[in-house]
Amino acid sequence: MIQLAKELGLSVSTVSKAIGDSHEISASTKKRVLELVKKYKYKPNPFASNLRKKKGKQIAVIIPDIVNNFFALAVDGIESVTMSKHYDTFIYLTHENLEREKAVLEHLESGLISGLIISVCTGREGYSHFQEFYEATKLPLVFFDRVPDLLQFPKVITNNYESSFDATVRLIKAGSKRPVLITTTEPMFTSMERRRGYQDALEKQGIVFTDEMIIHCTDDMELNYTILRKIFSQKKRPDGIFASIEKYAITSYQVCKDLKLVIPKDVKVIGMTNLRTAALLNPSLSTLSQPAFDMGKEAAGLLIKMIEKKSYAAANDIIVLPNELTIRDSI
Amino acid sequence: MIQLAKELGLSVSTVSKAIGDSHEISASTKKRVLELVKKYKYKPNPFASNLRKKKGKQIAVIIPDIVNNFFALAVDGIESVTMSKHYDTFIYLTHENLEREKAVLEHLESGLISGLIISVCTGREGYSHFQEFYEATKLPLVFFDRVPDLLQFPKVITNNYESSFDATVRLIKAGSKRPVLITTTEPMFTSMERRRGYQDALEKQGIVFTDEMIIHCTDDMELNYTILRKIFSQKKRPDGIFASIEKYAITSYQVCKDLKLVIPKDVKVIGMTNLRTAALLNPSLSTLSQPAFDMGKEAAGLLIKMIEKKSYAAANDIIVLPNELTIRDSI
DNA sequence: GGCTTTTACGAAAACGTTATAGGGAAAAAC
DNA sequence: GTTTTTCCCTATAACGTTTTCGTAAAAGCC
């Protein structure tokens, strides 16, 4: 910039202001400056700029996993916004590891970023690190999908309860007398909402709920297979599945295939998933899918609004987007 | 830091050096400093630090797409390395848009990062922006998978030629008399290598190659369906498919299903894909899959080595990893 | 014309680090 | 006993911006 100033016969302050499009600078000077900027492809040093301004145009995204269509789509949505607003996006993966999540948050307390989008890892304890992060930095935080239900932060979620209710009703109306819910052992707000929807649907449809109708699966695909196979080998086996997690729908299919249970005749299945190949499975899988891309977009939009203080009210916003039920051949 | 220095009765320089573990500082002082650092959870301001040191611990990843198992896995691999080395990772998506790719590169000339990992978007012209980026910044660049074959940069690729050769041979040995290659209209180094492997395998196996045996598909899934359906409706239709791009395998399945062509009896299929659901398709899809996670790991490892100048020789490294052929029921 | 206000620019300080050069005391070397 | 070396530490100047404040000239006002 000193170079530019010298060549233009101006001071660095003037050049800086011209680049920043300050009203203090005349149109003619701005034009002269910008021309030279273009000529030399000059780019202000972001570190110097951020240091002086005490903030930058960088945000971070913390998610459990990227090898998962839902999160990949969400990141896609986030990036589409940050790109258009000229923000840079850091990405951090926790792999469902709470310690890792805490470590990333602590690292970010250094002030590297101006805002943060998070989908928390499994487990419903230990939300305190988010609160601490906020106290320490006062930076805007936006949660999406996997949100800490007990904390007061802006969130982007889906209508898990209602859509799970609807999906379960569809299973029952399609003829399932004993539909089970496959969920995770890990406590999560989203799964609890889905479970509530499932149970309320049963009640509404006059089906008696028993504890065995909730099947708890894990992160271990092999183990899940064993668990499901055992349950579906029983004489009084379930005749419907609401798989509330993507991968459990896949395992269900595997088990049914191996046990020669015909979908949808013997077992009706609806899976909560964003898999693009759902329509190509045999039979094509009925899905309850989340508007992942839009969730990312909304979260990023909200965050940037908060960063740029265009909307102070945003702080307690909770944006609810609808899940989409797509009925295919599996029910 | 001034605060810390005051409280310890030391100068800021001493504190800075103690934190930086400089040999100029005695062990006892270091201990005192680090204790207070811990107590106050002090984190050096990265902008100030980067500004003064003229470099930082941030790198960028530029890829065409994240909603694609291959790239998601690669990012996972990259992040696993950057995380352990305490680097921060920016992510940028080009969506196969060359202009976007150029814009990101130009943006990064500001000096925000210390290194760059790229998988280029389709099209084999216009590699000059990479060269220009390098000239302007002298920053280390590592390419993976989609590499600019004409440029001298370190690369992480797979044995596309050999593995495509092998896959084609397997198709033929499984009984296909007229296997076709489905590839993209967009020129890319990887597809060209795959095509070479395919053609050489045909020749080796004594099958006469004709131009119609290369089927060009696009980014438009609807159009691809139409193209494939037309070809497979002909009386003299192909009896084997080597789908060299993930999504084309899916469309192939759809077309076969709709035309009531039985896989593998009527048509044998091998798809180049990292889809986790390949085994669940009907019939299960034989795949040639890329070691995406490892490619990401290698690329990030190489980049960080170059950044930290531990290995000057890295600059012209080309790391070749093997693709994996998994034969399932589709051939 | 004398007054205030506005416009357009520059000087200098600040942002929070790290690197360079330097210095004083203690230890080592002769 | 003097010189040299080593060990710790400090003062100060960067790094490249932005911002605050000051000011001269131009413009507006009666």
Side-chain angles (χ1 to χ4, degrees):
Chain A
M1 208 156 99
I2 295 171
Q3 173 81 10
L4 286 183
K6 218 171 262 173
E7 190 159 339
L8 287 160
L10 292 168
S11 73
V12 273
S13 343
T14 307
V15 174
S16 172
K17 285 174 191 168
I19 292 172
D21 199 28
S22 160
H23 64 91
E24 288 182 31
I25 306 299
S26 71
S28 62
T29 309
K30 274 182 193 168
K31 198 173 154 229
R32 282 210 306 142
V33 172
L34 294 183
E35 265 168 11
L36 215 61
V37 162
K38 201 164 197 176
K39 180 178 162 198
Y40 288 147
K41 290 189 178 180
Y42 165 78
K43 313 243 171 359
N45 179 316
F47 300 135
S49 168
N50 290 351
L51 173 61
R52 180 61 234 235
K53 293 200 292 194
K54 292 189 160 219
K55 66 173 169 175
K57 286 202 144 201
Q58 288 78 39
I59 68 157
V61 177
I62 306 179
I63 51 176
D65 187 13
I66 188 71
V67 189
N68 171 312
N69 245 265
F70 172 74
F71 288 118
L73 279 163
V75 169
D76 201 5
I78 290 169
E79 206 267 352
S80 74
V81 174
T82 54
M83 185 260 291
S84 73
K85 300 275 189 182
H86 303 288
Y87 275 70
D88 303 293
T89 314
F90 284 115
I91 190 163
Y92 301 91
L93 309 177
T94 63
H95 295 287
E96 308 289 9
N97 180 340
L98 184 61
E99 292 313 312
R100 171 90 184 108
E101 190 175 89
K102 286 181 182 172
V104 173
L105 239 66
E106 202 179 314
H107 170 64
L108 292 176
E109 281 189 16
S110 66
L112 188 61
I113 53 162
S114 299
L116 190 46
I117 297 176
I118 313 177
S119 205
V120 307
C121 61
T122 50
R124 284 186 65 240
E125 301 140 47
Y127 286 160
S128 59
H129 49 303
F130 297 121
Q131 196 67 48
E132 279 163 22
F133 177 85
Y134 179 71
E135 300 297 346
T137 63
K138 297 291 176 192
L139 286 177
L141 288 185
V142 173
F143 290 88
F144 75 96
D145 191 51
R146 305 241 212 120
V147 303
D149 49 316
L150 308 170
L151 259 46
Q152 284 271 338
F153 284 110
K155 296 162 188 163
V156 178
I157 56 177
T158 59
N159 61 346
N160 279 304
Y161 172 78
E162 292 81 2
S163 57
S164 296
F165 185 98
D166 292 346
T168 309
V169 168
R170 288 298 289 261
L171 273 177
I172 296 166
K173 292 219 167 147
S176 175
K177 304 287 179 206
R178 204 179 128 70
V180 294
L181 171 74
I182 308 183
T183 185
T184 165
T185 48
E186 299 294 334
M188 278 195 296
F189 179 61
T190 46
S191 343
M192 291 176 59
E193 288 290 290
R194 292 170 195 175
R195 176 175 170 163
R196 276 209 307 126
Y198 163 78
Q199 277 187 235
D200 284 3
L202 289 190
E203 188 176 346
K204 183 88 172 217
Q205 297 292 315
I207 295 185
V208 181
F209 170 76
T210 56
D211 281 342
E212 315 93 66
M213 292 170 76
I214 307 272
I215 302 176
H216 290 280
C217 279
T218 67
D219 241 14
D220 178 349
M221 293 292 264
E222 304 285 328
L223 179 56
N224 295 342
Y225 182 88
T226 313
I227 292 171
L228 290 180
R229 177 154 189 150
K230 191 170 159 203
I231 289 168
F232 280 85
S233 300
Q234 296 167 358
K235 217 165 80 185
K236 201 187 152 205
R237 56 157 178 78
D239 63 352
I241 295 174
F242 175 40
S244 74
I245 307 269
E246 179 161 307
K247 53 188 164 196
Y248 301 159
I250 305 304
T251 311
S252 305
Y253 260 55
Q254 271 172 325
V255 169
C256 286
K257 190 178 172 186
D258 294 351
L259 290 178
K260 307 236 186 304
L261 295 172
V262 179
I263 302 171
K265 190 172 72 70
D266 302 329
V267 182
K268 302 184 197 312
V269 184
I270 292 182
M272 184 116 198
T273 162
N274 284 72
L275 274 179
R276 280 177 307 163
T277 46
L280 296 169
L281 298 179
N282 182 41
S284 59
L285 173 64
S286 300
T287 56
L288 185 58
S289 64
Q290 298 183 280
F293 185 88
D294 288 332
M295 291 176 80
K297 262 176 67 172
E298 292 290 344
L302 192 56
L303 184 73
I304 291 180
K305 245 193 220 162
M306 291 168 69
I307 292 174
E308 299 180 350
K309 293 269 164 59
K310 281 184 186 144
S311 152
Y312 294 89
N316 287 317
D317 274 4
I318 294 191
I319 298 178
V320 181
L321 300 178
N323 290 324
E324 191 181 344
L325 185 60
T326 307
I327 299 300
R328 296 200 183 86
D329 301 336
S330 66
I331 77 166
Chain B
M1 208 156 100
I2 295 170
Q3 174 80 10
L4 287 182
K6 218 173 261 173
E7 189 159 339
L8 287 161
L10 292 169
S11 73
V12 272
S13 342
T14 308
V15 175
S16 171
K17 283 176 188 166
I19 292 171
D21 199 29
S22 160
H23 64 91
E24 288 182 31
I25 306 299
S26 71
S28 63
T29 309
K30 274 181 194 167
K31 198 173 153 231
R32 282 208 306 141
V33 172
L34 293 184
E35 265 168 11
L36 215 61
V37 162
K38 201 164 196 176
K39 180 178 164 198
Y40 288 148
K41 290 189 179 182
Y42 165 78
K43 314 245 172 356
N45 179 314
F47 300 135
S49 169
N50 289 351
L51 173 61
R52 181 62 234 238
K53 293 199 292 192
K54 292 190 159 218
K55 66 172 170 174
K57 285 202 146 201
Q58 288 79 39
I59 67 156
V61 177
I62 305 179
I63 51 176
D65 188 13
I66 187 72
V67 189
N68 170 312
N69 244 266
F70 172 73
F71 288 118
L73 280 163
V75 168
D76 201 6
I78 290 169
E79 206 267 352
S80 74
V81 174
T82 54
M83 186 260 289
S84 74
K85 300 274 189 182
H86 303 289
Y87 275 70
D88 303 293
T89 314
F90 284 115
I91 191 163
Y92 302 91
L93 309 177
T94 62
H95 296 288
E96 308 289 7
N97 181 338
L98 183 62
E99 291 313 312
R100 170 89 184 109
E101 191 176 271
K102 285 181 181 170
V104 172
L105 239 66
E106 202 180 313
H107 169 64
L108 292 176
E109 281 189 15
S110 67
L112 188 60
I113 52 162
S114 298
L116 189 47
I117 296 176
I118 313 178
S119 205
V120 307
C121 61
T122 50
R124 283 186 66 240
E125 302 141 46
Y127 287 160
S128 60
H129 49 304
F130 298 121
Q131 196 67 48
E132 280 163 22
F133 177 84
Y134 179 71
E135 300 297 345
T137 64
K138 297 290 175 191
L139 287 177
L141 288 186
V142 174
F143 291 87
F144 77 97
D145 191 50
R146 305 243 213 118
V147 303
D149 49 315
L150 307 171
L151 259 46
Q152 284 270 340
F153 284 110
K155 296 162 189 165
V156 178
I157 56 178
T158 59
N159 60 345
N160 279 304
Y161 172 78
E162 293 80 1
S163 57
S164 296
F165 184 98
D166 293 346
T168 309
V169 169
R170 288 298 289 261
L171 273 177
I172 296 166
K173 292 218 167 147
S176 175
K177 303 287 179 209
R178 205 178 127 71
V180 293
L181 171 75
I182 308 183
T183 186
T184 166
T185 48
E186 299 294 334
M188 278 195 296
F189 179 61
T190 46
S191 343
M192 291 176 58
E193 287 291 290
R194 291 169 195 175
R195 176 175 170 163
R196 276 209 309 125
Y198 162 78
Q199 276 187 236
D200 285 2
L202 289 191
E203 189 176 345
K204 183 87 172 221
Q205 297 292 315
I207 294 185
V208 181
F209 169 76
T210 57
D211 281 342
E212 315 92 65
M213 291 170 76
I214 306 272
I215 302 175
H216 290 279
C217 280
T218 67
D219 241 13
D220 178 349
M221 294 293 263
E222 305 285 326
L223 179 56
N224 294 342
Y225 181 88
T226 314
I227 292 170
L228 290 179
R229 176 155 191 150
K230 191 170 159 202
I231 289 168
F232 280 86
S233 301
Q234 296 166 359
K235 216 164 81 186
K236 201 188 152 205
R237 56 158 178 76
D239 62 352
I241 296 175
F242 176 40
S244 75
I245 307 269
E246 179 161 307
K247 54 188 164 195
Y248 300 159
I250 306 304
T251 311
S252 305
Y253 261 54
Q254 271 172 323
V255 169
C256 287
K257 189 178 174 188
D258 294 351
L259 290 177
K260 308 239 185 302
L261 295 172
V262 179
I263 301 171
K265 188 172 72 71
D266 302 329
V267 182
K268 303 185 195 312
V269 184
I270 292 182
M272 184 116 197
T273 161
N274 284 70
L275 273 180
R276 280 177 307 164
T277 46
L280 296 168
L281 298 179
N282 182 41
S284 59
L285 173 64
S286 300
T287 55
L288 185 58
S289 63
Q290 296 184 283
F293 185 87
D294 288 332
M295 290 176 81
K297 263 176 67 172
E298 292 290 344
L302 191 55
L303 184 72
I304 291 180
K305 245 193 220 164
M306 290 168 70
I307 291 174
E308 299 181 350
K309 294 267 165 59
K310 280 184 186 142
S311 151
Y312 294 88
N316 286 317
D317 274 2
I318 295 191
I319 298 178
V320 182
L321 300 178
N323 290 323
E324 192 181 342
L325 185 59
T326 306
I327 299 300
R328 298 199 183 86
D329 301 336
S330 66
I331 77 166

